[in-house]
Amino acid sequence: MKYDDQLRIYSVLNTIPRGLVTSYGCVATLAQLPRGARQVGKLLSQLPAETTLPWHRVLRADGAIAFPENSSSYRRQRQQLENEGVTVTQGRVDLSEFGWRG
């Protein structure tokens, strides 16, 4: 992935408001990377643990957390979302209530 693409993704991440979520595909579209959802996911998976980017606000297109439910990453993402007032039910967020499209 080109460095400019990474910067655009990071820029989009920084605009997702606290308490709202969006999808990998939406981030890709806003970063001008059509059909780049997998690229977004790959880049987010490589972020260091101490990052301040709000990676936890990015979910699957159906509002589901992408990590396996029994993983520490799943628990961390769910906790961070709940700390921002986002309701997570059975690993999924209601995008009609908490979704952000940019």
Side-chain angles (χ1 to χ4, degrees), residues 29-62:
T29 298
L30 293 170
Q32 301 171 350
L33 296 168
R35 296 183 303 276
R38 288 179 193 254
Q39 288 177 284
V40 171
K42 182 172 178 157
L43 182 63
L44 296 186
S45 74
Q46 297 170 349
L47 290 173
E50 67 277 1
T51 186
T52 58
L53 288 170
W55 62 271
H56 62 281
R57 297 177 187 153
V58 183
L59 305 170
R60 291 183 180 165
D62 64 357

Side-chain angles (χ1 to χ4, degrees), residues 67-82:
F67 299 109
E69 195 169 335
N70 60 350
S71 70
S72 62
S73 297
Y74 172 93
R75 289 188 297 275
R76 182 174 172 216
Q77 185 171 16
R78 181 179 182 133
Q79 186 63 58
Q80 287 184 283
L81 290 170
E82 289 175 343

Side-chain angles (χ1 to χ4, degrees), residues 8-31 40 44 47 52-60 77 80-81 84 86 93 95 98-102:
R8 287 198 309 274
I9 291 170
Y10 295 153
S11 178
V12 171
L13 286 178
N14 278 320
T15 63
I16 305 169
R18 180 178 174 83
L20 297 178
V21 298
T22 195
S23 69
Y24 295 98
C26 184
V27 171
T29 298
L30 293 170
V40 171
L44 296 186
L47 290 173
T52 58
L53 288 170
W55 62 271
H56 62 281
R57 297 177 187 153
V58 183
L59 305 170
R60 291 183 180 165
Q77 185 171 16
Q80 287 184 283
L81 290 170
E84 293 185 1
V86 176
V93 173
L95 296 178
F98 296 102
W100 176 81
R101 303 292 299 165

